[in-house]
Amino acid sequence: MVAHETALSLVQLGAVLFGLGLLGRLAARIGMSPIPLYLIGGLVFGTGGLIELQHVDQFIELASEIGVVLLLLLLGLEYTASELVTGLRSSWAAGVVDLILNAVPGVAVALILGWGATGAVAMAGVTYISSSGIVAKVLNDLGRLGNRETPTILSILVFEDLVMAGYLPVLTAILAGAGFAAGMKTVAIALTAVTVVLVVALRYGKYVSKIVDSQDREIFLLKLLGSALLIAGIASALQVSAAVGAFLLGIAISDSTAHNATKLLEPLRDLFAALFFVLFGLSTDPASIPPVLGWAIVLAVLTAGTKIATGWWAAGRAGASRYGRARAGSALVARGEFSIVIAGLAVAYGAVPPAFAALATTYVLIMAVLGPVAARLIEPALRWADQLRVRTA
């Protein structure tokens, strides 16, 4: 019986990986990011889909967590700690604007639907935070990591993750009905952990590089991947995003060590990140989408506009061109892993109605597909508009 289940697991996992390869090839041929196709593929073969996978859920779930860690680790390897601090200092205003513009629509819809203050707080987080994993993948796929507007995008994402370090403990306390003192204690632990990691990255980054570096590729890979998962796990246990922990480890690694780490980890990142996006589709029941589709579209239109406005304004302050401002705004549109975590917490505590989960899932699915598409099409659309304006002038 065990051997039979193992065989089925291997067959299903092999089919998933081979299918991802075909979808990735299709995406490359039509010149777009493979993320939307990965998500749709997961939707087709997930709960309520055409064929439901029953033997590889646990593996894909763990692999998807590793994928997010690797995505943010490699993004962190592109920048130094000093660049991060400089970016945060120059972009804190953009972070505040981002928070206000994108949390308010979620609050408004939750209150209109009668979900009360608890539902409003939870939905605010769902609509506020961009998907660091999807944005990192899109920036890499489109070759924009070296663009002038990318540090602004990165600063906003880090600001969002740091906000989550305070938001998630507060949300958990509200969902559990905990008192004010207990909630503030949790927040203090989370913020202290973030501060300590930042100080280590700034002052002792060269020692971190020496610890993980090795001339032997096997040893280097084991130490690098092991330290990334270790830091991510500790960060998560301390109520800080595992993605933030991996990103901060990335910026602590510098010089030739960072360059070698990037080359070594890129194939692993692509594999595990693909499984992350598939898992998101697998967990969505297509039958739950129609009843909440209207409100999900309303939220998608509103918050796509507010994210584009945020990126446009922030990149403009950093001196980016009109095209760079548009690229920055569209890159922030996607929602994903954090939004699902927030929705899962709310549902697990039973503090919101069942429609909350359906709306959050539908909204994130739309935004996860819309984000990469918008990032790909925004620049050609602007060029077409400019050409049309010249012709009609």
Side-chain angles (χ1 to χ4, degrees), residues 30-67:
I30 60 180
M32 66 174 289
S33 168
I35 293 172
L37 297 183
Y38 292 162
L39 290 167
I40 294 172
L43 187 66
V44 171
F45 295 101
T47 303
L50 296 178
I51 302 175
E52 186 173 346
L53 302 178
Q54 299 178 343
H55 299 277
V56 294
D57 290 353
Q58 291 184 344
F59 174 81
I60 293 180
E61 183 174 355
L62 179 59
S64 69
E65 294 292 333
I66 297 174

Side-chain angles (χ1 to χ4, degrees), residues 28-238:
R29 285 198 170 187
I30 60 180
M32 66 174 289
S33 168
I35 293 172
L37 297 183
Y38 292 162
L39 290 167
I40 294 172
L43 187 66
V44 171
F45 295 101
T47 303
L50 296 178
I51 302 175
E52 186 173 346
L53 302 178
Q54 299 178 343
H55 299 277
V56 294
D57 290 353
Q58 291 184 344
F59 174 81
I60 293 180
E61 183 174 355
L62 179 59
S64 69
E65 294 292 333
I66 297 174
V68 174
V69 169
L70 290 178
L71 280 169
L72 271 295
L73 173 63
L74 267 78
L75 189 60
L77 289 170
E78 296 289 331
Y79 301 95
T80 65
S82 59
E83 289 173 339
L84 171 65
V85 172
T86 301
L88 286 175
R89 287 174 178 171
S90 62
S91 301
W92 67 268
V96 173
V97 170
D98 178 38
L99 174 60
I100 295 173
L101 289 182
N102 293 284
V104 169
V107 171
V109 169
L111 293 178
I112 291 172
L113 294 176
W115 293 344
T118 300
V121 172
M123 187 56 71
V126 172
T127 60
Y128 160 57
I129 188 165
S130 301
S131 169
S132 298
I134 294 179
V135 173
K137 179 66 173 173
V138 167
L139 291 176
N140 181 75
D141 287 345
L142 299 180
R144 296 179 181 173
L145 290 176
N147 285 13
R148 182 169 185 174
E149 73 275 2
T150 299
T152 299
I153 299 170
L154 180 62
S155 297
I156 292 174
L157 291 177
V158 173
F159 186 92
E160 289 182 350
D161 285 339
L162 294 177
V163 169
M164 284 295 108
Y167 169 81
L168 288 177
V170 171
L171 176 64
T172 302
I174 292 174
L175 294 173
F180 177 80
M184 290 300 99
K185 180 180 178 181
T186 305
V187 172
I189 293 174
L191 295 180
T192 300
V194 171
T195 302
V196 169
V197 174
L198 275 173
V199 170
V200 170
L202 283 168
R203 296 187 177 181
Y204 307 105
K206 60 181 180 180
Y207 300 108
V208 176
S209 298
K210 289 181 179 180
I211 291 173
V212 300
D213 198 8
S214 175
Q215 297 297 321
D216 187 290
R217 287 170 56 87
E218 179 181 350
I219 296 174
F220 187 26
L221 177 61
L222 289 172
K223 291 200 295 182
L224 187 62
L225 184 58
S227 60
L229 296 177
L230 180 63
I231 295 297
I234 293 174
S236 182
L238 293 173

Side-chain angles (χ1 to χ4, degrees), residues 271-287:
L271 170 62
F272 286 106
L275 291 175
F276 161 71
F277 298 118
V278 167
L279 177 69
F280 184 74
L282 289 174
S283 61
T284 304
D285 186 351

